[in-house]
Amino acid sequence: MGTIVKTSAGEEIMQKISDSGYKLTESRRVVVELALKHEGHFSAADLYETIKSEAPSVGRATVFRTLDLLTSMQLLEKIHLGDGCHSYVVCQSRHHHHLICNTCGLTIDFENCHLNELLQDLSRLTNFSIKGHWLEVFGQCERCQNKEQFAVVGSIMKKDS
Amino acid sequence: MGTIVKTSAGEEIMQKISDSGYKLTESRRVVVELALKHEGHFSAADLYETIKSEAPSVGRATVFRTLDLLTSMQLLEKIHLGDGCHSYVVCQSRHHHHLICNTCGLTIDFENCHLNELLQDLSRLTNFSIKGHWLEVFGQCERCQNKEQFAVVGSIMKKDS
DNA sequence: GTGAGTGCAAAACGTTTGCATGAGC
DNA sequence: GCTCATGCAAACGTTTTGCACTCAC
């Protein structure tokens, strides 16, 4: 307990932190490694819960500060879920969007949004100077679709267990 | 001061509230009318500030409760700004998206997002069952673009006023 | 050695809730 | 008159901040 396995992706991020002139501290390494452990998106609270059990010496404020740092370096991205909560996802490419599983949180990136034509039309019609856009797609991943079928059967079988 | 002008749009919303079986109270009327006063999006805090000066008897909790009610009736929609704050916009049509001015908050709805092809591709590639999507476009409206030009000139002219 | 970074606790923030009172139907 | 809705205040969860200490450079 308490041993944080260092991943290569984590080391890569630590390198970028160092390259940007920030110090390589143990707390930052913990936050980075545990953030990478999450398959999909995660909230600050999720991450802090994990940290409390795996590396209890790291404080809550440090989690928020490190998440902010990573977000400002575009290594993480803040996303919004349907219910209004915000979460973070690890960020790979420059301009991209997310396909998010509402059930398990699995997040898949995609790049080409084919929106250029729409944005040009909008700009022409409204005289807005368009600065950016934000697209998120919600659904259910293959695994959760299958699980849900099993779950229904299961709940019938062991009702009021 | 303290006089809430009743708009026809406001009366229309009040009618829908009544039709849905909710009571037509003075507080709800105040929230609806002052929400309609906002040209673009507004936060709960924005609205409560306005209410504190125009109708100070209405409590904070009522503002939140009424915003929730209007959102659940799809008369308002909760949107997310780039910085992570949520705001509300008055909602006209069924499926639509928003073009938002980053400077003044002016919000323009548009309906056709031409995303069907993209969503089909995504579904095919990932085996996700796609439930919905969310698109917001950010930019600067014509008026704010012009204002910004003046503002630059202005600040040069009366620097350190 | 120095200052950026930290942990802790308290504060701030936005939002929700419990409850006695009041207004709409 | 009955109930829903309200105002108030307190509680809540999340995020930020102030401060003394410490660790990476």
Side-chain angles (χ1 to χ4, degrees), chain B residues 24-87:
Chain B
L24 288 183
T25 66
E26 190 50 34
S27 299
R28 281 180 178 155
R29 179 164 275 122
V30 166
V31 174
V32 166
E33 293 296 350
L34 293 181
L36 286 171
K37 261 198 180 171
H38 288 261
E39 225 186 31
H41 56 79
F42 56 91
S43 67
D46 289 340
L47 187 57
Y48 183 59
E49 276 310 304
T50 316
I51 285 174
K52 253 201 326 205
S53 63
E54 305 243 342
S57 70
V58 176
R60 202 199 320 268
T62 301
V63 174
F64 282 101
R65 283 189 276 232
T66 308
L67 288 175
D68 278 353
L69 176 67
L70 294 171
T71 305
S72 74
M73 292 179 66
Q74 303 194 328
L75 297 170
L76 282 185
E77 193 178 350
K78 226 174 181 171
I79 60 169
H80 298 286
L81 273 33
D83 60 0
C85 299
H86 3 51
S87 286

Side-chain angles (χ1 to χ4, degrees), chain A residues 34-73:
Chain A
L34 293 182
L36 286 171
K37 262 199 182 172
H38 287 262
E39 224 186 33
H41 55 80
F42 56 92
S43 67
D46 290 340
L47 187 57
Y48 182 60
E49 276 309 304
T50 316
I51 284 174
K52 250 199 332 204
S53 62
E54 306 241 343
S57 70
V58 176
R60 204 199 318 268
T62 301
V63 174
F64 280 101
R65 284 188 277 233
T66 308
L67 288 175
D68 277 354
L69 176 67
L70 294 172
T71 305
S72 75
M73 293 179 66

Side-chain angles (χ1 to χ4, degrees), chain A residues 16-33:
Chain A
K16 283 180 189 168
I17 289 176
S18 171
D19 290 347
S20 302
Y22 299 106
K23 291 184 178 170
L24 289 183
T25 66
E26 190 51 33
S27 298
R28 279 179 180 157
R29 179 164 276 125
V30 167
V31 174
V32 167
E33 293 296 350

Side-chain angles (χ1 to χ4, degrees), chain B:
Chain B
M1 194 200 283
T3 314
I4 308 296
V5 180
K6 295 179 187 178
T7 62
S8 58
E11 282 311 304
E12 219 169 280
I13 290 178
M14 293 311 284
Q15 188 61 50
K16 285 180 187 167
I17 289 175
S18 171
D19 291 348
S20 302
Y22 300 106
K23 291 185 179 171
L24 288 183
T25 66
E26 190 50 34
S27 299
R28 281 180 178 155
R29 179 164 275 122
V30 166
V31 174
V32 166
E33 293 296 350
L34 293 181
L36 286 171
K37 261 198 180 171
H38 288 261
E39 225 186 31
H41 56 79
F42 56 91
S43 67
D46 289 340
L47 187 57
Y48 183 59
E49 276 310 304
T50 316
I51 285 174
K52 253 201 326 205
S53 63
E54 305 243 342
S57 70
V58 176
R60 202 199 320 268
T62 301
V63 174
F64 282 101
R65 283 189 276 232
T66 308
L67 288 175
D68 278 353
L69 176 67
L70 294 171
T71 305
S72 74
M73 292 179 66
Q74 303 194 328
L75 297 170
L76 282 185
E77 193 178 350
K78 226 174 181 171
I79 60 169
H80 298 286
L81 273 33
D83 60 0
C85 299
H86 3 51
S87 286
Y88 295 86
V89 281
V90 179
C91 211
Q92 279 96 13
S93 56
R94 210 137 301 266
H95 174 75
H96 68 276
H97 302 286
H98 300 116
L99 171 59
I100 301 169
C101 176
N102 280 335
T103 310
C104 70
L106 175 68
T107 304
I108 294 181
D109 294 1
F110 61 96
E111 299 197 7
N112 201 341
C113 48
H114 305 290
L115 283 173
N116 288 337
E117 203 185 325
L118 170 70
L119 298 181
Q120 276 169 23
D121 286 351
L122 274 178
S123 177
R124 196 166 39 234
L125 285 168
T126 62
N127 286 325
F128 262 61
S129 149
I130 304 223
K131 311 278 189 189
H133 65 275
W134 190 8
L135 171 66
E136 269 160 30
V137 182
F138 300 97
Q140 199 174 36
C141 72
E142 195 171 14
R143 205 168 60 182
C144 287
Q145 288 173 60
N146 294 336
K147 260 190 199 161
E148 201 148 274
Q149 292 179 344
F150 288 125
V152 171
V153 176
S155 74
I156 290 168
M157 285 165 58
K158 47 176 185 172
K159 206 174 175 182
D160 299 324
S161 66

